[in-house]
Protein backbone atom coordinates (compact mmCIF):
# COMPACT_ATOMS: atom_id res chain seq x y z
CA UNK A 1 0.00 0.00 0.00
CA UNK A 2 2.95 2.34 0.60
CA UNK A 3 3.61 2.66 -3.13
CA UNK A 4 -0.01 2.95 -4.17
CA UNK A 5 -0.49 5.19 -7.18
CA UNK A 6 -3.48 6.35 -9.16
CA UNK A 7 -4.42 7.98 -12.43
CA UNK A 8 -6.33 11.24 -12.29
CA UNK A 9 -8.14 12.46 -15.42
CA UNK A 10 -9.67 15.89 -15.93
CA UNK A 11 -12.22 15.92 -18.78
CA UNK A 12 -12.91 19.47 -19.92
CA UNK A 13 -14.60 21.01 -22.92
CA UNK A 14 -11.28 21.54 -24.71
CA UNK A 15 -8.82 18.93 -23.47
CA UNK A 16 -8.48 15.81 -21.33
CA UNK A 17 -5.54 15.99 -18.95
CA UNK A 18 -4.11 12.92 -17.22
CA UNK A 19 -1.63 12.43 -14.39
CA UNK A 20 -0.24 9.58 -12.33
CA UNK A 21 0.39 10.39 -8.67
CA UNK A 22 1.40 8.50 -5.57
CA UNK A 23 -0.22 8.95 -2.16
CA UNK A 24 2.32 11.64 -1.20
CA UNK A 25 1.29 13.83 -4.13
CA UNK A 26 4.37 13.14 -6.21
CA UNK A 27 3.63 13.42 -9.93
CA UNK A 28 4.96 10.34 -11.72
CA UNK A 29 3.62 10.87 -15.24
CA UNK A 30 1.62 13.30 -17.38
CA UNK A 31 -0.48 13.13 -20.53
CA UNK A 32 -2.95 15.22 -22.51
CA UNK A 33 -5.28 14.83 -25.49
CA UNK A 34 -7.90 17.02 -27.17
CA UNK A 35 -11.48 16.36 -26.05
CA UNK A 36 -12.91 16.97 -29.56
CA UNK A 37 -16.20 17.53 -27.74
CA UNK A 38 -18.03 18.90 -30.78
CA UNK A 39 -17.71 15.49 -32.41
CA UNK A 40 -19.89 13.97 -29.70
CA UNK A 41 -19.82 11.42 -26.92
CA UNK A 42 -18.20 8.58 -28.89
CA UNK A 43 -15.21 10.75 -29.79
CA UNK A 44 -14.86 12.02 -26.21
CA UNK A 45 -14.87 8.41 -24.95
CA UNK A 46 -12.38 7.28 -27.61
CA UNK A 47 -9.96 10.07 -26.71
CA UNK A 48 -10.33 9.34 -22.99
CA UNK A 49 -9.57 5.64 -23.57
CA UNK A 50 -6.58 6.57 -25.72
CA UNK A 51 -5.07 8.68 -22.91
CA UNK A 52 -5.83 6.03 -20.27
CA UNK A 53 -4.19 3.30 -22.38
CA UNK A 54 -1.10 5.48 -22.81
CA UNK A 55 -0.78 6.17 -19.06
CA UNK A 56 -1.46 2.56 -18.07
CA UNK A 57 1.07 1.28 -20.57
CA UNK A 58 3.77 3.38 -18.93
CA UNK A 59 2.54 2.82 -15.35
CA UNK A 60 1.30 -0.73 -15.04
CA UNK A 61 0.89 -0.83 -11.25
CA UNK A 62 -1.86 1.80 -11.07
CA UNK A 63 -4.34 0.81 -8.37
CA UNK A 64 -7.26 3.07 -9.28
CA UNK A 65 -8.57 5.75 -11.64
CA UNK A 66 -10.11 9.04 -10.58
CA UNK A 67 -12.11 11.15 -13.04
CA UNK A 68 -13.08 14.80 -12.87
CA UNK A 69 -15.56 15.78 -15.56
CA UNK A 70 -17.69 18.73 -16.50
CA UNK A 71 -21.31 18.09 -15.56
CA UNK A 72 -23.21 17.00 -12.48
CA UNK A 73 -22.12 13.60 -11.17
CA UNK A 74 -23.84 11.09 -8.89
CA UNK A 75 -20.68 10.05 -7.04
CA UNK A 76 -22.31 6.90 -5.63
CA UNK A 77 -22.89 5.40 -9.07
CA UNK A 78 -20.40 7.39 -11.17
CA UNK A 79 -23.18 8.37 -13.58
CA UNK A 80 -23.29 11.77 -15.29
CA UNK A 81 -26.58 13.08 -13.88
CA UNK A 82 -26.59 16.28 -15.96
CA UNK A 83 -24.39 17.84 -18.62
CA UNK A 84 -24.71 20.82 -20.96
CA UNK A 85 -23.82 20.87 -24.63
CA UNK A 86 -20.21 21.69 -23.69
CA UNK A 87 -19.95 17.85 -23.68
CA UNK A 88 -22.63 16.68 -26.16
CA UNK A 89 -24.34 13.40 -25.28
CA UNK A 90 -22.50 13.13 -21.97
CA UNK A 91 -25.61 13.23 -19.77
CA UNK A 92 -26.60 9.76 -18.55
CA UNK A 93 -23.19 8.19 -19.25
CA UNK A 94 -22.41 5.43 -16.73
CA UNK A 95 -18.75 6.42 -16.62
CA UNK A 96 -17.69 4.48 -13.52
CA UNK A 97 -19.27 1.22 -14.74
CA UNK A 98 -17.80 1.59 -18.22
CA UNK A 99 -14.27 2.25 -16.97
CA UNK A 100 -14.28 -0.39 -14.25
CA UNK A 101 -15.35 -2.97 -16.81
CA UNK A 102 -12.71 -1.80 -19.29
CA UNK A 103 -9.74 -1.56 -16.92
CA UNK A 104 -10.51 -3.87 -13.98
CA UNK A 105 -9.62 -1.20 -11.43
CA UNK A 106 -11.67 0.86 -8.96
CA UNK A 107 -12.93 4.14 -10.47
CA UNK A 108 -14.26 7.26 -8.77
CA UNK A 109 -16.02 9.99 -10.79
CA UNK A 110 -16.82 13.52 -9.63
CA UNK A 111 -17.49 16.98 -11.05
CA UNK A 112 -14.34 18.65 -12.36
CA UNK A 113 -14.67 21.71 -10.12
CA UNK A 114 -14.89 19.39 -7.10
CA UNK A 115 -11.73 17.58 -8.17
CA UNK A 116 -9.95 20.89 -8.80
CA UNK A 117 -10.88 22.03 -5.30
CA UNK A 118 -9.63 18.75 -3.79
CA UNK A 119 -6.34 19.25 -5.67
CA UNK A 120 -5.93 22.81 -4.40
CA UNK A 121 -6.89 21.79 -0.85
CA UNK A 122 -4.35 18.95 -0.94
CA UNK A 123 -1.33 20.58 -2.59
CA UNK A 124 -2.26 24.16 -3.54
CA UNK A 125 -3.84 27.45 -2.51
CA UNK A 126 -6.33 25.91 -0.06
CA UNK A 127 -3.86 23.70 1.81
CA UNK A 128 -4.57 23.60 5.53
CA UNK A 129 -7.85 25.54 5.30
CA UNK A 130 -11.00 23.54 6.18
CA UNK A 131 -13.61 25.80 4.51
CA UNK A 132 -12.80 26.62 0.89
CA UNK A 133 -14.83 27.63 -2.15
CA UNK A 134 -13.40 27.37 -5.64
CA UNK A 135 -14.37 29.00 -8.91
CA UNK A 136 -12.95 27.88 -12.24
CA UNK A 137 -13.13 30.39 -15.09
CA UNK A 138 -12.56 28.48 -18.32
CA UNK A 139 -14.71 27.19 -21.19
CA UNK A 140 -17.55 27.41 -18.64
CA UNK A 141 -17.67 28.47 -14.99
CA UNK A 142 -17.29 25.69 -12.45
CA UNK A 143 -17.64 25.90 -8.70
CA UNK A 144 -17.13 23.75 -5.64
CA UNK A 145 -17.42 24.06 -1.87
CA UNK A 146 -15.54 22.37 0.94
CA UNK A 147 -16.93 22.60 4.47
CA UNK A 148 -14.99 21.13 7.37
CA UNK A 149 -12.47 19.62 4.92
CA UNK A 150 -15.25 17.65 3.18
CA UNK A 151 -16.73 18.38 -0.23
CA UNK A 152 -20.27 19.72 -0.03
CA UNK A 153 -21.96 18.35 -3.15
CA UNK A 154 -25.59 19.07 -2.30
CA UNK A 155 -28.66 16.82 -2.30
CA UNK A 156 -28.89 16.75 -6.12
CA UNK A 157 -25.13 16.88 -6.80
CA UNK A 158 -25.25 20.53 -7.86
CA UNK A 159 -23.88 22.23 -4.76
CA UNK A 160 -21.33 24.75 -5.98
CA UNK A 161 -22.86 25.23 -9.44
CA UNK A 162 -22.08 28.92 -9.23
CA UNK A 163 -21.83 29.09 -13.02
CA UNK A 164 -25.59 28.54 -13.30
CA UNK A 165 -26.72 30.95 -10.62
CA UNK A 166 -28.42 34.01 -12.13
CA UNK A 167 -26.25 37.10 -12.40
CA UNK A 168 -28.41 39.19 -14.75
CA UNK A 169 -32.16 38.37 -14.56
CA UNK A 170 -33.54 37.93 -18.08
CA UNK A 171 -30.01 38.21 -19.48
CA UNK A 172 -28.09 36.25 -22.09
CA UNK A 173 -29.44 32.76 -22.89
CA UNK A 174 -27.43 29.89 -21.41
CA UNK A 175 -27.07 26.35 -22.73
CA UNK A 176 -28.59 25.11 -19.46
CA UNK A 177 -31.94 26.61 -20.55
CA UNK A 178 -31.92 29.63 -18.23
CA UNK A 179 -31.10 33.25 -19.00
CA UNK A 180 -28.53 35.47 -17.35
CA UNK A 181 -26.34 32.73 -15.83
CA UNK A 182 -22.93 33.60 -14.42
CA UNK A 183 -21.35 31.37 -17.10
CA UNK A 184 -22.61 33.70 -19.85
CA UNK A 185 -20.69 36.61 -18.31
CA UNK A 186 -17.69 35.21 -16.45
CA UNK A 187 -16.38 32.24 -18.44
CA UNK A 188 -13.38 32.72 -20.70
CA UNK A 189 -15.71 31.95 -23.60
CA UNK A 190 -18.05 34.73 -22.48
CA UNK A 191 -15.24 37.27 -22.15
CA UNK A 192 -14.17 36.55 -25.75
CA UNK A 193 -17.77 36.83 -27.03
CA UNK A 194 -18.54 40.02 -25.11
CA UNK A 195 -15.31 41.69 -26.26
CA UNK A 196 -15.85 40.61 -29.88
CA UNK A 197 -19.37 42.07 -29.86
CA UNK A 198 -18.23 45.33 -28.28
CA UNK A 199 -15.12 45.87 -30.41
CA UNK A 200 -16.35 44.34 -33.68
CA UNK A 201 -13.25 42.14 -33.73
CA UNK A 202 -12.96 38.36 -33.94
CA UNK A 203 -10.80 37.20 -31.03
CA UNK A 204 -9.30 33.67 -31.05
CA UNK A 205 -9.00 33.61 -27.24
CA UNK A 206 -9.02 35.67 -24.07
CA UNK A 207 -5.29 36.31 -24.44
CA UNK A 208 -5.91 38.63 -27.39
CA UNK A 209 -8.80 40.31 -25.57
CA UNK A 210 -6.53 41.15 -22.65
CA UNK A 211 -3.81 42.38 -25.01
CA UNK A 212 -6.31 44.89 -26.41
CA UNK A 213 -7.27 45.79 -22.84
CA UNK A 214 -3.61 46.56 -22.09
CA UNK A 215 -3.45 48.66 -25.25
CA UNK A 216 -6.38 50.67 -23.94
CA UNK A 217 -8.91 49.87 -26.69
CA UNK A 218 -11.96 51.67 -25.19
CA UNK A 219 -14.61 49.04 -26.05
CA UNK A 220 -12.48 46.24 -24.56
CA UNK A 221 -11.52 48.28 -21.49
CA UNK A 222 -15.22 48.73 -20.79
CA UNK A 223 -15.91 44.99 -21.23
CA UNK A 224 -13.04 43.90 -18.95
CA UNK A 225 -14.00 46.40 -16.26
CA UNK A 226 -17.58 45.13 -16.34
CA UNK A 227 -16.31 41.54 -16.28
CA UNK A 228 -14.31 42.23 -13.11
CA UNK A 229 -17.22 44.06 -11.46
CA UNK A 230 -19.49 41.07 -12.14
CA UNK A 231 -16.85 38.71 -10.76
CA UNK A 232 -16.63 40.88 -7.65
CA UNK A 233 -20.40 40.64 -7.15
CA UNK A 234 -20.29 36.83 -7.38
CA UNK A 235 -17.37 36.61 -4.93
CA UNK A 236 -19.16 38.97 -2.53
CA UNK A 237 -22.29 36.81 -2.66
CA UNK A 238 -20.30 33.64 -1.99
CA UNK A 239 -18.49 35.37 0.87
CA UNK A 240 -21.75 36.51 2.46
CA UNK A 241 -23.58 33.24 1.82
CA UNK A 242 -20.94 30.69 2.87
CA UNK A 243 -18.17 32.75 4.46
CA UNK A 244 -15.36 30.34 3.49
CA UNK A 245 -11.87 30.86 4.85
CA UNK A 246 -10.64 31.40 1.31
CA UNK A 247 -12.06 31.55 -2.22
CA UNK A 248 -9.69 30.08 -4.82
CA UNK A 249 -9.99 31.15 -8.46
CA UNK A 250 -8.69 28.78 -11.13
CA UNK A 251 -9.21 28.15 -14.83
CA UNK A 252 -7.51 29.50 -17.92
CA UNK A 253 -8.17 33.17 -17.15
CA UNK A 254 -5.95 33.07 -14.07
CA UNK A 255 -2.95 32.62 -16.39
CA UNK A 256 -3.37 36.31 -17.29
CA UNK A 257 -4.25 37.46 -13.77
CA UNK A 258 -1.47 40.05 -13.55
CA UNK A 259 -3.53 42.09 -16.03
CA UNK A 260 -6.93 42.03 -14.30
CA UNK A 261 -6.39 40.94 -10.68
CA UNK A 262 -5.51 44.47 -9.44
CA UNK A 263 -8.93 45.60 -10.72
CA UNK A 264 -10.53 42.76 -8.74
CA UNK A 265 -8.71 43.74 -5.54
CA UNK A 266 -9.98 47.29 -5.96
CA UNK A 267 -13.54 46.07 -6.58
CA UNK A 268 -13.55 43.74 -3.56
CA UNK A 269 -12.21 46.40 -1.23
CA UNK A 270 -15.46 48.32 -1.74
CA UNK A 271 -17.77 45.28 -1.75
CA UNK A 272 -16.33 42.85 0.80
CA UNK A 273 -13.25 44.19 2.57
CA UNK A 274 -11.22 41.45 4.21
CA UNK A 275 -12.34 38.67 1.87
CA UNK A 276 -9.47 36.25 1.13
CA UNK A 277 -9.41 35.50 -2.61
CA UNK A 278 -6.41 33.65 -4.00
CA UNK A 279 -5.35 32.43 -7.43
CA UNK A 280 -5.12 28.66 -7.79
CA UNK A 281 -1.55 27.38 -7.51
CA UNK A 282 -1.80 24.15 -9.48
CA UNK A 283 -2.90 25.66 -12.78
CA UNK A 284 -4.65 23.31 -15.16
CA UNK A 285 -3.32 20.28 -13.26
CA UNK A 286 -5.59 20.81 -10.23
CA UNK A 287 -8.49 18.73 -11.54
CA UNK A 288 -6.38 15.69 -12.41
CA UNK A 289 -4.48 15.93 -9.10
CA UNK A 290 -7.74 16.10 -7.15
CA UNK A 291 -9.26 13.21 -9.11
CA UNK A 292 -6.28 11.05 -8.22
CA UNK A 293 -6.55 12.12 -4.58
CA UNK A 294 -10.23 11.14 -4.41
CA UNK A 295 -9.63 7.60 -5.64
CA UNK A 296 -6.56 7.26 -3.38
CA UNK A 297 -8.74 8.31 -0.43
CA UNK A 298 -11.22 5.57 -1.33
CA UNK A 299 -8.52 2.95 -1.71
CA UNK A 300 -6.97 3.88 1.64
Amino acid sequence: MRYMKAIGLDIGGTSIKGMVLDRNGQVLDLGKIATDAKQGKDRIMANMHSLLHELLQRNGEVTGIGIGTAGRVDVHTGRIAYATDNLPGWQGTELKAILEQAYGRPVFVDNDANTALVGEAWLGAGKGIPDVTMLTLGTGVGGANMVGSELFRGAGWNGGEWGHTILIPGGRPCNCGQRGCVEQYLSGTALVSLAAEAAGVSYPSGVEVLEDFKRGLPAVVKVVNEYVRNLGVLLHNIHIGLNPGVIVIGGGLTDSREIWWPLLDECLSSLSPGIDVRPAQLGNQAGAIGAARLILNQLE
Side-chain angles (χ1 to χ4, degrees):
M1 293 291 281
R2 177 182 295 179
Y3 301 107
M4 188 163 56
K5 58 187 180 182
I7 289 176
L9 285 195
D10 180 18
I11 304 171
T14 306
S15 65
I16 304 173
K17 293 169 280 290
M19 303 178 75
V20 181
L21 290 95
D22 67 16
R23 64 199 300 185
N24 298 315
Q26 182 180 353
V27 178
L28 307 172
D29 201 358
L30 296 165
K32 185 177 177 180
I33 193 169
T35 311
D36 292 333
K38 288 181 181 175
Q39 296 185 42
K41 174 184 170 179
D42 289 347
R43 185 54 177 266
I44 298 168
M45 293 291 286
N47 289 352
M48 179 187 65
H49 283 300
S50 175
L51 181 55
L52 280 170
H53 280 302
E54 179 187 319
L55 292 171
L56 285 166
Q57 199 167 26
R58 296 199 298 259
N59 304 272
E61 296 176 1
V62 165
T63 46
I65 299 169
I67 307 286
T69 173
R72 206 174 294 158
V73 180
D74 179 339
V75 297
H76 297 316
T77 63
R79 176 180 177 272
I80 310 303
Y82 173 80
T84 69
D85 287 341
N86 289 342
L87 292 177
W90 206 233
Q91 186 167 317
T93 302
E94 301 281 354
L95 201 52
K96 174 181 166 72
I98 290 166
L99 294 179
E100 287 186 341
Q101 184 174 10
Y103 299 104
R105 292 169 170 84
V107 173
F108 187 84
V109 186
D110 206 338
N111 169 265
D112 56 354
N114 285 344
T115 60
L117 174 51
V118 170
E120 289 290 339
W122 184 24
L123 301 175
K127 190 173 182 179
I129 300 169
D131 301 317
V132 187
T133 290
M134 184 163 187
L135 285 177
T136 56
L137 310 176
T139 307
V141 173
N145 305 309
M146 187 172 277
V147 179
S149 300
E150 295 287 337
L151 283 172
F152 179 77
R153 298 182 176 92
W157 314 110
N158 62 344
E161 281 277 12
W162 300 108
H164 295 289
T165 57
I166 305 298
L167 181 68
I168 310 290
R172 300 169 79 89
C174 184
N175 56 13
C176 74
Q178 299 188 107
R179 298 185 74 92
C181 287
V182 161
E183 187 165 291
Q184 298 307 311
Y185 297 88
L186 294 181
S187 64
T189 310
L191 178 62
V192 171
S193 297
L194 291 163
E197 287 172 22
V201 175
S202 179
Y203 290 108
S205 75
V207 173
E208 291 78 15
V209 172
L210 291 170
E211 285 298 322
D212 272 357
F213 171 76
K214 284 200 296 184
R215 291 189 193 101
L217 191 69
V220 175
V221 169
K222 184 178 178 183
V223 165
V224 172
N225 278 313
E226 188 169 340
Y227 176 93
V228 171
R229 280 196 301 273
N230 284 332
L231 179 57
V233 168
L234 177 60
L235 293 169
H236 166 81
N237 290 343
I238 292 169
H239 174 64
I240 295 299
L242 285 176
N243 197 217
V246 63
I247 301 175
V248 177
I249 300 181
L253 277 167
T254 56
D255 295 340
S256 306
R257 65 182 179 274
E258 73 281 354
I259 299 171
W260 56 267
W261 201 280
L263 294 173
L264 180 62
D265 285 337
E266 187 180 332
C267 176
L268 289 174
S269 67
S270 63
L271 278 171
S272 291
I275 182 173
D276 189 346
V277 180
R278 304 177 188 178
Q281 291 179 1
L282 304 179
N284 61 15
Q285 296 183 341
I289 289 171
R293 176 66 174 178
L294 284 167
I295 188 63
L296 286 168
N297 285 349
Q298 278 218 326
L299 293 169
E300 288 173 352

